[in-house]
Amino acid sequence: MDGLSEIEAAWEASGRQLMVGFNRRWSPAVLAAQRALAGTASPKFLVYRVAAGPVPEGHWYADRRQGGRLLGEVCHFRRHRSGAHRDAIEEAVSVRGGSDAGVAGNDAVVALRFGDGSLATICYGSAVPAAGKEWIEVMAGSRRLVIDDFRSATLDGRMLWKGRQDKGHRAQAAAFWAGGARRCGGADRADDGDDARHHPGSGGGFVSWLNRWTAE
């Protein structure tokens, strides 16, 4: 709590925005996917698989005061815009993995239903990411879009973007310092952007893009 107070004091004194680093919306692969599906109005089905890898004992993820690993990291994958939108999340259910002894683990499946009938499933686990940490598949009507660990994005087998793994950290930072947090990537309003403190309830991450794709 002392650390949070220091952050709040620094933010108030700076006159700037304070934002949470939901960086994946800045990834070139996600940007390419957003453009490719921008005109697709049909309900979509999204599967987001995360192999987060194990963490050592004593890691802050295990501290219940920090919310645990699921709350601390899965929020990156399930962020959504708030408000009365057709693309808002209307229902969320989850199942958490655990041991035979009934001890809750770090694995979970989260299912989300959106206002237009679109569905998203987030499969999060602590498995070793031998085949990449994150894999995303979107089915939109007869179209299939895949993002492979932010190294590539394909639509119906056609390459949309390919390069080195890029989850958008640098692009987010550069845009923020250039005033991008106010522009939020161009035409979007600031409250559609990267969780600026002045705009509570705003969302980032891939799920928020699913919301935009389903919007009129």
Side-chain angles (χ1 to χ4, degrees), residues 19-31 35 150 161 165-186 194 209:
M19 70 176 189
V20 178
F22 289 103
N23 53 283
R24 283 158 179 77
R25 69 185 304 253
W26 298 87
S27 166
V30 176
L31 292 173
R35 292 190 295 267
F150 300 97
W161 179 86
Q165 185 186 57
D166 188 341
K167 295 181 180 178
H169 297 84
R170 293 183 180 181
Q172 182 190 45
F176 179 76
W177 290 113
R182 295 178 180 86
R183 295 194 306 270
C184 293
D194 289 310
W209 262 312

PDB file of all heavy atoms in Angstrom, residues 19-31 35 150 161 165-186 194 209:
ATOM      1  N   MET A  19      -1.054   4.872 -16.754  1.00  0.00           N
ATOM      2  CA  MET A  19      -1.755   3.799 -17.445  1.00  0.00           C
ATOM      3  C   MET A  19      -1.160   2.458 -17.072  1.00  0.00           C
ATOM      4  O   MET A  19      -0.019   2.355 -16.625  1.00  0.00           O
ATOM      5  CB  MET A  19      -1.684   3.983 -18.959  1.00  0.00           C
ATOM      6  CG  MET A  19      -0.319   3.753 -19.575  1.00  0.00           C
ATOM      7  SD  MET A  19      -0.413   3.884 -21.378  1.00  0.00           S
ATOM      8  CE  MET A  19       1.236   3.316 -21.808  1.00  0.00           C
ATOM      9  N   VAL A  20      -1.979   1.435 -17.242  1.00  0.00           N
ATOM     10  CA  VAL A  20      -1.553   0.056 -17.046  1.00  0.00           C
ATOM     11  C   VAL A  20      -1.075  -0.477 -18.384  1.00  0.00           C
ATOM     12  O   VAL A  20      -1.658  -0.190 -19.424  1.00  0.00           O
ATOM     13  CB  VAL A  20      -2.710  -0.794 -16.494  1.00  0.00           C
ATOM     14  CG1 VAL A  20      -2.283  -2.249 -16.344  1.00  0.00           C
ATOM     15  CG2 VAL A  20      -3.172  -0.237 -15.159  1.00  0.00           C
ATOM     16  N   GLY A  21       0.005  -1.254 -18.373  1.00  0.00           N
ATOM     17  CA  GLY A  21       0.639  -1.675 -19.613  1.00  0.00           C
ATOM     18  C   GLY A  21      -0.024  -2.860 -20.290  1.00  0.00           C
ATOM     19  O   GLY A  21       0.591  -3.923 -20.415  1.00  0.00           O
ATOM     20  N   PHE A  22      -1.276  -2.711 -20.742  1.00  0.00           N
ATOM     21  CA  PHE A  22      -1.888  -3.748 -21.563  1.00  0.00           C
ATOM     22  C   PHE A  22      -1.367  -3.560 -22.988  1.00  0.00           C
ATOM     23  O   PHE A  22      -1.988  -2.894 -23.818  1.00  0.00           O
ATOM     24  CB  PHE A  22      -3.411  -3.659 -21.499  1.00  0.00           C
ATOM     25  CG  PHE A  22      -3.962  -4.079 -20.165  1.00  0.00           C
ATOM     26  CD1 PHE A  22      -4.395  -3.145 -19.257  1.00  0.00           C
ATOM     27  CD2 PHE A  22      -4.028  -5.421 -19.830  1.00  0.00           C
ATOM     28  CE1 PHE A  22      -4.895  -3.535 -18.027  1.00  0.00           C
ATOM     29  CE2 PHE A  22      -4.527  -5.822 -18.599  1.00  0.00           C
ATOM     30  CZ  PHE A  22      -4.961  -4.876 -17.690  1.00  0.00           C
ATOM     31  N   ASN A  23      -0.214  -4.140 -23.242  1.00  0.00           N
ATOM     32  CA  ASN A  23       0.564  -3.809 -24.428  1.00  0.00           C
ATOM     33  C   ASN A  23       0.168  -4.558 -25.677  1.00  0.00           C
ATOM     34  O   ASN A  23       0.514  -4.141 -26.785  1.00  0.00           O
ATOM     35  CB  ASN A  23       2.045  -4.093 -24.155  1.00  0.00           C
ATOM     36  CG  ASN A  23       2.249  -5.521 -23.659  1.00  0.00           C
ATOM     37  OD1 ASN A  23       1.974  -5.826 -22.506  1.00  0.00           O
ATOM     38  ND2 ASN A  23       2.718  -6.398 -24.523  1.00  0.00           N
ATOM     39  N   ARG A  24      -0.545  -5.677 -25.555  1.00  0.00           N
ATOM     40  CA  ARG A  24      -0.709  -6.528 -26.734  1.00  0.00           C
ATOM     41  C   ARG A  24      -1.519  -5.876 -27.843  1.00  0.00           C
ATOM     42  O   ARG A  24      -1.420  -6.265 -29.001  1.00  0.00           O
ATOM     43  CB  ARG A  24      -1.300  -7.875 -26.327  1.00  0.00           C
ATOM     44  CG  ARG A  24      -0.249  -8.778 -25.678  1.00  0.00           C
ATOM     45  CD  ARG A  24      -0.879  -9.847 -24.818  1.00  0.00           C
ATOM     46  NE  ARG A  24       0.117 -10.715 -24.212  1.00  0.00           N
ATOM     47  CZ  ARG A  24       0.868 -10.414 -23.169  1.00  0.00           C
ATOM     48  NH1 ARG A  24       0.750  -9.208 -22.593  1.00  0.00           N
ATOM     49  NH2 ARG A  24       1.731 -11.259 -22.674  1.00  0.00           N
ATOM     50  N   ARG A  25      -2.334  -4.906 -27.505  1.00  0.00           N
ATOM     51  CA  ARG A  25      -3.105  -4.218 -28.542  1.00  0.00           C
ATOM     52  C   ARG A  25      -2.203  -3.438 -29.495  1.00  0.00           C
ATOM     53  O   ARG A  25      -2.656  -2.975 -30.539  1.00  0.00           O
ATOM     54  CB  ARG A  25      -4.135  -3.287 -27.906  1.00  0.00           C
ATOM     55  CG  ARG A  25      -3.552  -2.083 -27.204  1.00  0.00           C
ATOM     56  CD  ARG A  25      -4.656  -1.301 -26.505  1.00  0.00           C
ATOM     57  NE  ARG A  25      -5.695  -0.918 -27.433  1.00  0.00           N
ATOM     58  CZ  ARG A  25      -5.890   0.319 -27.871  1.00  0.00           C
ATOM     59  NH1 ARG A  25      -5.106   1.289 -27.472  1.00  0.00           N
ATOM     60  NH2 ARG A  25      -6.863   0.596 -28.704  1.00  0.00           N
ATOM     61  N   TRP A  26      -0.937  -3.249 -29.135  1.00  0.00           N
ATOM     62  CA  TRP A  26       0.004  -2.531 -29.988  1.00  0.00           C
ATOM     63  C   TRP A  26       0.844  -3.485 -30.840  1.00  0.00           C
ATOM     64  O   TRP A  26       1.656  -3.029 -31.654  1.00  0.00           O
ATOM     65  CB  TRP A  26       0.930  -1.673 -29.132  1.00  0.00           C
ATOM     66  CG  TRP A  26       0.213  -0.617 -28.358  1.00  0.00           C
ATOM     67  CD1 TRP A  26      -0.359  -0.745 -27.125  1.00  0.00           C
ATOM     68  CD2 TRP A  26      -0.029   0.729 -28.756  1.00  0.00           C
ATOM     69  NE1 TRP A  26      -0.925   0.434 -26.732  1.00  0.00           N
ATOM     70  CE2 TRP A  26      -0.729   1.359 -27.708  1.00  0.00           C
ATOM     71  CE3 TRP A  26       0.303   1.470 -29.901  1.00  0.00           C
ATOM     72  CZ2 TRP A  26      -1.124   2.686 -27.776  1.00  0.00           C
ATOM     73  CZ3 TRP A  26      -0.087   2.799 -29.949  1.00  0.00           C
ATOM     74  CH2 TRP A  26      -0.789   3.397 -28.904  1.00  0.00           C
ATOM     75  N   SER A  27       0.704  -4.760 -30.662  1.00  0.00           N
ATOM     76  CA  SER A  27       1.499  -5.724 -31.421  1.00  0.00           C
ATOM     77  C   SER A  27       1.184  -5.623 -32.911  1.00  0.00           C
ATOM     78  O   SER A  27       0.018  -5.530 -33.301  1.00  0.00           O
ATOM     79  CB  SER A  27       1.204  -7.140 -30.935  1.00  0.00           C
ATOM     80  OG  SER A  27       1.710  -8.095 -31.836  1.00  0.00           O
ATOM     81  N   PRO A  28       2.203  -5.654 -33.792  1.00  0.00           N
ATOM     82  CA  PRO A  28       1.946  -5.625 -35.242  1.00  0.00           C
ATOM     83  C   PRO A  28       1.036  -6.762 -35.694  1.00  0.00           C
ATOM     84  O   PRO A  28       0.221  -6.583 -36.605  1.00  0.00           O
ATOM     85  CB  PRO A  28       3.339  -5.749 -35.858  1.00  0.00           C
ATOM     86  CG  PRO A  28       4.267  -5.224 -34.812  1.00  0.00           C
ATOM     87  CD  PRO A  28       3.653  -5.615 -33.498  1.00  0.00           C
ATOM     88  N   ALA A  29       1.160  -7.945 -35.077  1.00  0.00           N
ATOM     89  CA  ALA A  29       0.297  -9.061 -35.463  1.00  0.00           C
ATOM     90  C   ALA A  29      -1.156  -8.763 -35.145  1.00  0.00           C
ATOM     91  O   ALA A  29      -2.065  -9.074 -35.935  1.00  0.00           O
ATOM     92  CB  ALA A  29       0.755 -10.330 -34.747  1.00  0.00           C
ATOM     93  N   VAL A  30      -1.412  -8.160 -33.986  1.00  0.00           N
ATOM     94  CA  VAL A  30      -2.781  -7.845 -33.602  1.00  0.00           C
ATOM     95  C   VAL A  30      -3.327  -6.705 -34.451  1.00  0.00           C
ATOM     96  O   VAL A  30      -4.499  -6.706 -34.846  1.00  0.00           O
ATOM     97  CB  VAL A  30      -2.850  -7.506 -32.103  1.00  0.00           C
ATOM     98  CG1 VAL A  30      -4.254  -7.072 -31.709  1.00  0.00           C
ATOM     99  CG2 VAL A  30      -2.431  -8.708 -31.274  1.00  0.00           C
ATOM    100  N   LEU A  31      -2.495  -5.722 -34.756  1.00  0.00           N
ATOM    101  CA  LEU A  31      -2.924  -4.629 -35.620  1.00  0.00           C
ATOM    102  C   LEU A  31      -3.310  -5.149 -37.000  1.00  0.00           C
ATOM    103  O   LEU A  31      -4.305  -4.718 -37.588  1.00  0.00           O
ATOM    104  CB  LEU A  31      -1.820  -3.581 -35.737  1.00  0.00           C
ATOM    105  CG  LEU A  31      -1.515  -2.776 -34.465  1.00  0.00           C
ATOM    106  CD1 LEU A  31      -0.291  -1.896 -34.674  1.00  0.00           C
ATOM    107  CD2 LEU A  31      -2.719  -1.935 -34.074  1.00  0.00           C
ATOM    108  N   ARG A  35      -7.144  -4.994 -38.694  1.00  0.00           N
ATOM    109  CA  ARG A  35      -7.458  -4.457 -40.016  1.00  0.00           C
ATOM    110  C   ARG A  35      -8.148  -5.500 -40.892  1.00  0.00           C
ATOM    111  O   ARG A  35      -9.090  -5.196 -41.622  1.00  0.00           O
ATOM    112  CB  ARG A  35      -6.185  -3.956 -40.693  1.00  0.00           C
ATOM    113  CG  ARG A  35      -5.565  -2.723 -40.035  1.00  0.00           C
ATOM    114  CD  ARG A  35      -4.459  -2.146 -40.893  1.00  0.00           C
ATOM    115  NE  ARG A  35      -3.338  -3.069 -41.026  1.00  0.00           N
ATOM    116  CZ  ARG A  35      -2.272  -3.065 -40.229  1.00  0.00           C
ATOM    117  NH1 ARG A  35      -2.211  -2.199 -39.218  1.00  0.00           N
ATOM    118  NH2 ARG A  35      -1.285  -3.910 -40.417  1.00  0.00           N
ATOM    119  N   PHE A 150       2.657 -13.979 -31.434  1.00  0.00           N
ATOM    120  CA  PHE A 150       2.993 -12.617 -31.851  1.00  0.00           C
ATOM    121  C   PHE A 150       4.184 -12.579 -32.806  1.00  0.00           C
ATOM    122  O   PHE A 150       4.827 -11.552 -32.956  1.00  0.00           O
ATOM    123  CB  PHE A 150       3.240 -11.720 -30.638  1.00  0.00           C
ATOM    124  CG  PHE A 150       2.034 -11.628 -29.744  1.00  0.00           C
ATOM    125  CD1 PHE A 150       1.934 -12.424 -28.623  1.00  0.00           C
ATOM    126  CD2 PHE A 150       0.990 -10.777 -30.046  1.00  0.00           C
ATOM    127  CE1 PHE A 150       0.810 -12.372 -27.812  1.00  0.00           C
ATOM    128  CE2 PHE A 150      -0.138 -10.714 -29.243  1.00  0.00           C
ATOM    129  CZ  PHE A 150      -0.227 -11.506 -28.120  1.00  0.00           C
ATOM    130  N   TRP A 161       1.081 -10.820 -41.506  1.00  0.00           N
ATOM    131  CA  TRP A 161       2.274 -10.183 -40.932  1.00  0.00           C
ATOM    132  C   TRP A 161       3.171 -11.275 -40.386  1.00  0.00           C
ATOM    133  O   TRP A 161       2.700 -12.275 -39.854  1.00  0.00           O
ATOM    134  CB  TRP A 161       1.899  -9.221 -39.807  1.00  0.00           C
ATOM    135  CG  TRP A 161       3.102  -8.563 -39.177  1.00  0.00           C
ATOM    136  CD1 TRP A 161       3.739  -7.440 -39.589  1.00  0.00           C
ATOM    137  CD2 TRP A 161       3.830  -9.026 -38.023  1.00  0.00           C
ATOM    138  NE1 TRP A 161       4.810  -7.159 -38.779  1.00  0.00           N
ATOM    139  CE2 TRP A 161       4.895  -8.117 -37.809  1.00  0.00           C
ATOM    140  CE3 TRP A 161       3.669 -10.113 -37.170  1.00  0.00           C
ATOM    141  CZ2 TRP A 161       5.788  -8.269 -36.762  1.00  0.00           C
ATOM    142  CZ3 TRP A 161       4.575 -10.269 -36.132  1.00  0.00           C
ATOM    143  CH2 TRP A 161       5.620  -9.353 -35.932  1.00  0.00           C
ATOM    144  N   GLN A 165       9.195 -11.857 -32.660  1.00  0.00           N
ATOM    145  CA  GLN A 165       8.144 -11.771 -31.655  1.00  0.00           C
ATOM    146  C   GLN A 165       8.033 -10.334 -31.147  1.00  0.00           C
ATOM    147  O   GLN A 165       9.015  -9.726 -30.731  1.00  0.00           O
ATOM    148  CB  GLN A 165       8.431 -12.709 -30.484  1.00  0.00           C
ATOM    149  CG  GLN A 165       7.301 -12.751 -29.473  1.00  0.00           C
ATOM    150  CD  GLN A 165       7.659 -13.566 -28.252  1.00  0.00           C
ATOM    151  OE1 GLN A 165       8.641 -13.288 -27.593  1.00  0.00           O
ATOM    152  NE2 GLN A 165       6.847 -14.567 -27.951  1.00  0.00           N
ATOM    153  N   ASP A 166       6.845  -9.802 -31.215  1.00  0.00           N
ATOM    154  CA  ASP A 166       6.620  -8.411 -30.824  1.00  0.00           C
ATOM    155  C   ASP A 166       5.256  -8.317 -30.158  1.00  0.00           C
ATOM    156  O   ASP A 166       4.227  -8.392 -30.816  1.00  0.00           O
ATOM    157  CB  ASP A 166       6.678  -7.498 -32.048  1.00  0.00           C
ATOM    158  CG  ASP A 166       6.648  -6.023 -31.682  1.00  0.00           C
ATOM    159  OD1 ASP A 166       6.234  -5.697 -30.548  1.00  0.00           O
ATOM    160  OD2 ASP A 166       7.031  -5.200 -32.525  1.00  0.00           O
ATOM    161  N   LYS A 167       5.260  -8.158 -28.827  1.00  0.00           N
ATOM    162  CA  LYS A 167       4.012  -8.049 -28.074  1.00  0.00           C
ATOM    163  C   LYS A 167       3.592  -6.596 -27.871  1.00  0.00           C
ATOM    164  O   LYS A 167       2.655  -6.327 -27.125  1.00  0.00           O
ATOM    165  CB  LYS A 167       4.147  -8.763 -26.729  1.00  0.00           C
ATOM    166  CG  LYS A 167       4.338 -10.269 -26.873  1.00  0.00           C
ATOM    167  CD  LYS A 167       4.434 -10.941 -25.530  1.00  0.00           C
ATOM    168  CE  LYS A 167       4.627 -12.452 -25.702  1.00  0.00           C
ATOM    169  NZ  LYS A 167       4.772 -13.140 -24.403  1.00  0.00           N
ATOM    170  N   GLY A 168       4.288  -5.685 -28.525  1.00  0.00           N
ATOM    171  CA  GLY A 168       3.834  -4.310 -28.527  1.00  0.00           C
ATOM    172  C   GLY A 168       4.394  -3.425 -27.435  1.00  0.00           C
ATOM    173  O   GLY A 168       3.981  -2.277 -27.307  1.00  0.00           O
ATOM    174  N   HIS A 169       5.352  -3.915 -26.624  1.00  0.00           N
ATOM    175  CA  HIS A 169       5.869  -3.100 -25.527  1.00  0.00           C
ATOM    176  C   HIS A 169       6.475  -1.785 -26.033  1.00  0.00           C
ATOM    177  O   HIS A 169       6.169  -0.708 -25.534  1.00  0.00           O
ATOM    178  CB  HIS A 169       6.938  -3.877 -24.745  1.00  0.00           C
ATOM    179  CG  HIS A 169       6.429  -5.112 -24.080  1.00  0.00           C
ATOM    180  ND1 HIS A 169       6.314  -6.315 -24.740  1.00  0.00           N
ATOM    181  CD2 HIS A 169       5.994  -5.328 -22.811  1.00  0.00           C
ATOM    182  CE1 HIS A 169       5.841  -7.216 -23.900  1.00  0.00           C
ATOM    183  NE2 HIS A 169       5.643  -6.656 -22.734  1.00  0.00           N
ATOM    184  N   ARG A 170       7.377  -1.877 -27.021  1.00  0.00           N
ATOM    185  CA  ARG A 170       8.067  -0.682 -27.498  1.00  0.00           C
ATOM    186  C   ARG A 170       7.113   0.279 -28.185  1.00  0.00           C
ATOM    187  O   ARG A 170       7.187   1.488 -28.002  1.00  0.00           O
ATOM    188  CB  ARG A 170       9.204  -1.081 -28.442  1.00  0.00           C
ATOM    189  CG  ARG A 170      10.332  -1.841 -27.764  1.00  0.00           C
ATOM    190  CD  ARG A 170      11.460  -2.140 -28.738  1.00  0.00           C
ATOM    191  NE  ARG A 170      12.541  -2.869 -28.090  1.00  0.00           N
ATOM    192  CZ  ARG A 170      13.658  -3.238 -28.707  1.00  0.00           C
ATOM    193  NH1 ARG A 170      13.828  -2.959 -29.996  1.00  0.00           N
ATOM    194  NH2 ARG A 170      14.596  -3.898 -28.053  1.00  0.00           N
ATOM    195  N   ALA A 171       6.208  -0.278 -28.987  1.00  0.00           N
ATOM    196  CA  ALA A 171       5.260   0.584 -29.689  1.00  0.00           C
ATOM    197  C   ALA A 171       4.352   1.311 -28.712  1.00  0.00           C
ATOM    198  O   ALA A 171       4.034   2.482 -28.891  1.00  0.00           O
ATOM    199  CB  ALA A 171       4.429  -0.252 -30.664  1.00  0.00           C
ATOM    200  N   GLN A 172       3.930   0.609 -27.659  1.00  0.00           N
ATOM    201  CA  GLN A 172       3.078   1.238 -26.660  1.00  0.00           C
ATOM    202  C   GLN A 172       3.816   2.369 -25.961  1.00  0.00           C
ATOM    203  O   GLN A 172       3.276   3.459 -25.786  1.00  0.00           O
ATOM    204  CB  GLN A 172       2.615   0.206 -25.634  1.00  0.00           C
ATOM    205  CG  GLN A 172       1.685   0.801 -24.582  1.00  0.00           C
ATOM    206  CD  GLN A 172       1.423  -0.164 -23.446  1.00  0.00           C
ATOM    207  OE1 GLN A 172       2.341  -0.798 -22.945  1.00  0.00           O
ATOM    208  NE2 GLN A 172       0.180  -0.273 -23.037  1.00  0.00           N
ATOM    209  N   ALA A 173       5.051   2.108 -25.560  1.00  0.00           N
ATOM    210  CA  ALA A 173       5.830   3.131 -24.863  1.00  0.00           C
ATOM    211  C   ALA A 173       6.084   4.333 -25.759  1.00  0.00           C
ATOM    212  O   ALA A 173       5.951   5.485 -25.341  1.00  0.00           O
ATOM    213  CB  ALA A 173       7.148   2.543 -24.386  1.00  0.00           C
ATOM    214  N   ALA A 174       6.447   4.085 -27.022  1.00  0.00           N
ATOM    215  CA  ALA A 174       6.732   5.178 -27.939  1.00  0.00           C
ATOM    216  C   ALA A 174       5.496   6.027 -28.187  1.00  0.00           C
ATOM    217  O   ALA A 174       5.549   7.265 -28.186  1.00  0.00           O
ATOM    218  CB  ALA A 174       7.256   4.622 -29.261  1.00  0.00           C
ATOM    219  N   ALA A 175       4.347   5.363 -28.378  1.00  0.00           N
ATOM    220  CA  ALA A 175       3.116   6.098 -28.621  1.00  0.00           C
ATOM    221  C   ALA A 175       2.702   6.891 -27.393  1.00  0.00           C
ATOM    222  O   ALA A 175       2.192   8.006 -27.497  1.00  0.00           O
ATOM    223  CB  ALA A 175       2.004   5.131 -29.029  1.00  0.00           C
ATOM    224  N   PHE A 176       2.917   6.313 -26.209  1.00  0.00           N
ATOM    225  CA  PHE A 176       2.539   7.014 -24.987  1.00  0.00           C
ATOM    226  C   PHE A 176       3.349   8.293 -24.821  1.00  0.00           C
ATOM    227  O   PHE A 176       2.809   9.371 -24.577  1.00  0.00           O
ATOM    228  CB  PHE A 176       2.743   6.099 -23.784  1.00  0.00           C
ATOM    229  CG  PHE A 176       2.397   6.755 -22.476  1.00  0.00           C
ATOM    230  CD1 PHE A 176       1.082   6.925 -22.108  1.00  0.00           C
ATOM    231  CD2 PHE A 176       3.388   7.216 -21.630  1.00  0.00           C
ATOM    232  CE1 PHE A 176       0.752   7.527 -20.909  1.00  0.00           C
ATOM    233  CE2 PHE A 176       3.069   7.827 -20.425  1.00  0.00           C
ATOM    234  CZ  PHE A 176       1.755   7.984 -20.067  1.00  0.00           C
ATOM    235  N   TRP A 177       4.669   8.183 -24.991  1.00  0.00           N
ATOM    236  CA  TRP A 177       5.515   9.353 -24.800  1.00  0.00           C
ATOM    237  C   TRP A 177       5.330  10.381 -25.909  1.00  0.00           C
ATOM    238  O   TRP A 177       5.620  11.557 -25.733  1.00  0.00           O
ATOM    239  CB  TRP A 177       6.983   8.946 -24.711  1.00  0.00           C
ATOM    240  CG  TRP A 177       7.279   8.209 -23.442  1.00  0.00           C
ATOM    241  CD1 TRP A 177       7.637   6.905 -23.318  1.00  0.00           C
ATOM    242  CD2 TRP A 177       7.210   8.730 -22.119  1.00  0.00           C
ATOM    243  NE1 TRP A 177       7.789   6.572 -21.993  1.00  0.00           N
ATOM    244  CE2 TRP A 177       7.534   7.682 -21.226  1.00  0.00           C
ATOM    245  CE3 TRP A 177       6.886   9.979 -21.592  1.00  0.00           C
ATOM    246  CZ2 TRP A 177       7.547   7.842 -19.856  1.00  0.00           C
ATOM    247  CZ3 TRP A 177       6.907  10.135 -20.205  1.00  0.00           C
ATOM    248  CH2 TRP A 177       7.232   9.082 -19.357  1.00  0.00           C
ATOM    249  N   ALA A 178       4.806   9.953 -27.057  1.00  0.00           N
ATOM    250  CA  ALA A 178       4.539  10.883 -28.151  1.00  0.00           C
ATOM    251  C   ALA A 178       3.135  11.466 -28.058  1.00  0.00           C
ATOM    252  O   ALA A 178       2.699  12.180 -28.957  1.00  0.00           O
ATOM    253  CB  ALA A 178       4.719  10.174 -29.487  1.00  0.00           C
ATOM    254  N   GLY A 179       2.426  11.158 -26.994  1.00  0.00           N
ATOM    255  CA  GLY A 179       1.073  11.650 -26.830  1.00  0.00           C
ATOM    256  C   GLY A 179       0.028  10.681 -27.326  1.00  0.00           C
ATOM    257  O   GLY A 179      -1.145  11.016 -27.403  1.00  0.00           O
ATOM    258  N   GLY A 180       0.443   9.456 -27.666  1.00  0.00           N
ATOM    259  CA  GLY A 180      -0.488   8.475 -28.209  1.00  0.00           C
ATOM    260  C   GLY A 180      -1.544   8.043 -27.225  1.00  0.00           C
ATOM    261  O   GLY A 180      -2.601   7.563 -27.621  1.00  0.00           O
ATOM    262  N   ALA A 181      -1.286   8.192 -25.920  1.00  0.00           N
ATOM    263  CA  ALA A 181      -2.293   7.798 -24.942  1.00  0.00           C
ATOM    264  C   ALA A 181      -3.534   8.673 -25.065  1.00  0.00           C
ATOM    265  O   ALA A 181      -4.624   8.257 -24.732  1.00  0.00           O
ATOM    266  CB  ALA A 181      -1.718   7.905 -23.525  1.00  0.00           C
ATOM    267  N   ARG A 182      -3.336   9.898 -25.562  1.00  0.00           N
ATOM    268  CA  ARG A 182      -4.484  10.772 -25.771  1.00  0.00           C
ATOM    269  C   ARG A 182      -5.188  10.428 -27.077  1.00  0.00           C
ATOM    270  O   ARG A 182      -6.383  10.559 -27.208  1.00  0.00           O
ATOM    271  CB  ARG A 182      -4.032  12.222 -25.769  1.00  0.00           C
ATOM    272  CG  ARG A 182      -3.483  12.674 -24.414  1.00  0.00           C
ATOM    273  CD  ARG A 182      -2.996  14.116 -24.446  1.00  0.00           C
ATOM    274  NE  ARG A 182      -2.485  14.516 -23.151  1.00  0.00           N
ATOM    275  CZ  ARG A 182      -1.242  14.297 -22.757  1.00  0.00           C
ATOM    276  NH1 ARG A 182      -0.410  13.667 -23.551  1.00  0.00           N
ATOM    277  NH2 ARG A 182      -0.836  14.692 -21.571  1.00  0.00           N
ATOM    278  N   ARG A 183      -4.411  10.003 -28.081  1.00  0.00           N
ATOM    279  CA  ARG A 183      -4.998   9.637 -29.365  1.00  0.00           C
ATOM    280  C   ARG A 183      -5.514   8.207 -29.356  1.00  0.00           C
ATOM    281  O   ARG A 183      -6.403   7.862 -30.108  1.00  0.00           O
ATOM    282  CB  ARG A 183      -3.959   9.767 -30.479  1.00  0.00           C
ATOM    283  CG  ARG A 183      -3.481  11.197 -30.706  1.00  0.00           C
ATOM    284  CD  ARG A 183      -2.741  11.274 -32.025  1.00  0.00           C
ATOM    285  NE  ARG A 183      -1.668  10.286 -32.086  1.00  0.00           N
ATOM    286  CZ  ARG A 183      -0.432  10.512 -31.678  1.00  0.00           C
ATOM    287  NH1 ARG A 183      -0.115  11.673 -31.143  1.00  0.00           N
ATOM    288  NH2 ARG A 183       0.503   9.574 -31.778  1.00  0.00           N
ATOM    289  N   CYS A 184      -4.881   7.358 -28.530  1.00  0.00           N
ATOM    290  CA  CYS A 184      -5.260   5.949 -28.417  1.00  0.00           C
ATOM    291  C   CYS A 184      -5.206   5.252 -29.759  1.00  0.00           C
ATOM    292  O   CYS A 184      -6.165   4.633 -30.204  1.00  0.00           O
ATOM    293  CB  CYS A 184      -6.634   5.810 -27.788  1.00  0.00           C
ATOM    294  SG  CYS A 184      -6.636   6.335 -26.085  1.00  0.00           S
ATOM    295  N   GLY A 185      -4.073   5.389 -30.423  1.00  0.00           N
ATOM    296  CA  GLY A 185      -3.867   4.644 -31.649  1.00  0.00           C
ATOM    297  C   GLY A 185      -4.497   5.276 -32.866  1.00  0.00           C
ATOM    298  O   GLY A 185      -4.600   4.652 -33.905  1.00  0.00           O
ATOM    299  N   GLY A 186      -4.925   6.527 -32.790  1.00  0.00           N
ATOM    300  CA  GLY A 186      -5.449   7.181 -33.969  1.00  0.00           C
ATOM    301  C   GLY A 186      -6.819   7.761 -33.722  1.00  0.00           C
ATOM    302  O   GLY A 186      -6.967   8.753 -33.020  1.00  0.00           O
ATOM    303  N   ASP A 194      -5.400   2.689 -23.344  1.00  0.00           N
ATOM    304  CA  ASP A 194      -4.576   1.830 -22.509  1.00  0.00           C
ATOM    305  C   ASP A 194      -4.779   2.060 -21.024  1.00  0.00           C
ATOM    306  O   ASP A 194      -3.843   2.284 -20.262  1.00  0.00           O
ATOM    307  CB  ASP A 194      -3.108   2.033 -22.867  1.00  0.00           C
ATOM    308  CG  ASP A 194      -2.801   1.440 -24.213  1.00  0.00           C
ATOM    309  OD1 ASP A 194      -3.161   0.277 -24.445  1.00  0.00           O
ATOM    310  OD2 ASP A 194      -2.209   2.139 -25.025  1.00  0.00           O
ATOM    311  N   TRP A 209     -10.246  -5.927 -28.712  1.00  0.00           N
ATOM    312  CA  TRP A 209     -10.331  -5.852 -30.163  1.00  0.00           C
ATOM    313  C   TRP A 209     -11.425  -6.756 -30.691  1.00  0.00           C
ATOM    314  O   TRP A 209     -12.095  -6.417 -31.669  1.00  0.00           O
ATOM    315  CB  TRP A 209      -8.998  -6.222 -30.800  1.00  0.00           C
ATOM    316  CG  TRP A 209      -8.222  -5.001 -31.146  1.00  0.00           C
ATOM    317  CD1 TRP A 209      -8.657  -3.885 -31.804  1.00  0.00           C
ATOM    318  CD2 TRP A 209      -6.864  -4.750 -30.830  1.00  0.00           C
ATOM    319  NE1 TRP A 209      -7.665  -2.972 -31.908  1.00  0.00           N
ATOM    320  CE2 TRP A 209      -6.558  -3.463 -31.331  1.00  0.00           C
ATOM    321  CE3 TRP A 209      -5.886  -5.495 -30.187  1.00  0.00           C
ATOM    322  CZ2 TRP A 209      -5.277  -2.915 -31.198  1.00  0.00           C
ATOM    323  CZ3 TRP A 209      -4.629  -4.937 -30.066  1.00  0.00           C
ATOM    324  CH2 TRP A 209      -4.344  -3.661 -30.558  1.00  0.00           C
TER     325      TRP A 209
END
